Amino acid sequence: MKTINKAQMAAAGLAVLLALTACGGAATGTQATDLPKTQNTRDISEGVQPDAAAVALLPESFKTKGEITVAMDLSSPPMTFLAEDNSTPIGVNPDLARLVAKKLGLKLKFENTAFDTIIPGIDGGRYDFTATTMSATEERLKVLDMINYLKGGSAVAVAKDNPLKLTNDTLCGKNIGVTKGSTQQLKHLPNVSKWTCEEKGQPAINGITLPNVQEALTQLDSKRIDGVFYDASALAWADAQQPNHFHILEPRMDTRTNTNVAMGLKKGSPLTPALQAAIQSVLETPEYKESLEYWGLGESAITEAAIR
């Protein structure tokens, strides 16, 4: 068997990372510019005014500080990632977090952290909230208040031309990459494995936990795993940046769950009413749909910022 040394793996990982984050197409729609999306560091919240009702609900501590901290894992385009300047957060989640902060009349501070450290960080008071494509699970709702802000979904990427002829229903016994701390790892893959494989006497899907989607796609590219189970929007973005490199199974995976994703903050936080009001205000702005359309997620818009 051919072995791959650390330098080769690092090079492969870098190649996939660059393909994911440095080859965006030109912006379209009302945000059209001559810049590739990965270089476009415009602030969509520029000119947006605070929402008086949301500001009135803010705890005094936030009014005094004048700042709110959001935690994100900046490694998942087009939802949440760094521009080519390697310092500016861009994507759907940074756009919407900026809009929420504007509605609250606060400055926004970004904290880039691994996905599986976000909830402990919020629970420990290091971050005020997160907007990082996180869905509301029973486990998360034990420690977080979660407020819907868009629709999500999951899909499976397989090797180019799908040589194993895989479908959503024929993943039994296959090695499928999931990212650490993701809903796909914690909930969806075990459930899908149960009803598509185990309950039918087939071998379980073998979930391979990896630190991030770049590493997962690198391992798929090197045929170390058979597929990657991840957010459909991020896989679609990766496919657009690196055409004919892998194949995304259609339709999206039926996980038999609500596909809304939610911003999260500490359970019972005095900030919750203000954040909900701010998110609801954002959902009613043209900038909300403008951001989703720009990043290719127009169908993900929702109208109600419901607390989960």
Side-chain angles (χ1 to χ4, degrees):
M1 177 180 290
K2 181 180 179 181
T3 60
I4 301 176
N5 63 35
K6 291 182 179 180
Q8 289 173 312
M9 284 298 294
L14 177 61
V16 174
L17 177 60
L18 291 175
L20 285 169
T21 61
C23 302
T28 59
T30 56
Q31 296 180 352
T33 74
D34 293 330
L35 291 174
K37 290 182 180 180
T38 55
Q39 296 176 14
N40 191 348
T41 58
R42 86 280 181 265
D43 183 349
I44 196 172
S45 71
E46 185 175 351
V48 173
Q49 299 301 309
D51 184 287
V55 172
L57 294 170
L58 269 176
E60 285 300 322
S61 59
F62 284 94
K63 294 179 181 179
T64 300
K65 187 177 181 181
E67 182 179 81
I68 190 168
T69 300
V70 62
M72 294 184 181
D73 183 344
L74 291 165
S75 65
S76 300
M79 301 304 295
T80 315
F81 64 118
L82 289 174
E84 286 186 46
D85 63 11
N86 205 35
S87 64
T88 305
I90 61 174
V92 175
N93 290 323
D95 277 355
L96 301 187
R98 290 184 178 102
L99 289 169
V100 166
K102 275 294 184 72
K103 289 295 184 179
L104 293 171
L106 300 174
K107 293 181 180 179
L108 183 65
K109 179 182 179 182
F110 286 94
E111 289 287 352
N112 184 11
T113 184
F115 188 90
D116 63 321
T117 68
I118 291 174
I119 293 177
I122 290 175
D123 193 47
R126 294 193 297 277
Y127 320 124
D128 297 315
F129 77 109
T130 185
T132 193
T133 323
M134 185 180 289
S135 62
T137 65
E138 291 182 9
E139 294 78 12
R140 290 170 182 163
L141 290 172
K142 292 176 182 177
V143 293
L144 297 179
D145 286 338
M146 302 194 75
I147 306 165
N148 291 340
Y149 68 103
L150 54 81
K151 289 183 290 188
S154 300
V156 176
V158 297
K160 179 184 176 182
D161 298 327
N162 194 10
L164 298 179
K165 306 302 180 186
L166 296 176
T167 71
N168 289 337
D169 297 321
T170 60
L171 302 177
C172 307
K174 302 302 182 184
N175 295 322
I176 304 299
V178 287
T179 59
K180 186 177 181 181
S182 67
T183 306
Q184 289 82 12
Q185 179 215 6
L186 299 175
K187 184 175 183 179
H188 294 331
L189 188 67
N191 288 347
V192 169
S193 178
K194 181 179 178 181
W195 66 62
T196 62
C197 302
E198 297 161 60
E199 290 181 349
K200 297 178 180 180
Q202 298 294 315
I205 300 171
N206 184 26
I208 307 297
T209 302
L210 298 164
N212 54 56
V213 68
Q214 286 86 6
E215 176 65 20
L217 290 173
T218 297
Q219 294 214 17
L220 176 62
D221 190 50
S222 62
K223 297 181 174 56
R224 297 167 71 90
I225 57 177
D226 302 311
V228 175
F229 187 28
Y230 196 63
D231 293 327
S233 59
L235 291 179
W237 169 272
D239 186 43
Q241 309 318 305
Q242 203 169 19
N244 303 315
H245 195 71
F246 53 88
H247 174 78
I248 301 174
L249 299 183
E250 294 287 350
R252 292 184 178 185
M253 180 68 74
D254 178 11
T255 60
R256 303 185 187 181
T257 59
N258 187 312
T259 60
N260 284 337
V261 295
M263 297 190 190
L265 67 169
K266 190 168 184 176
K267 193 166 188 66
S269 170
L271 178 62
T272 299
L275 189 66
Q276 182 192 26
I279 295 172
Q280 183 62 52
S281 185
V282 167
L283 299 188
E284 297 167 3
T285 64
E287 288 82 5
Y288 172 67
K289 291 184 179 178
E290 181 182 336
S291 174
L292 295 183
E293 291 288 351
Y294 179 78
W295 295 108
L297 297 170
E299 296 182 356
S300 294
I302 64 171
T303 58
E304 182 182 1
I307 296 180
R308 298 296 304 277

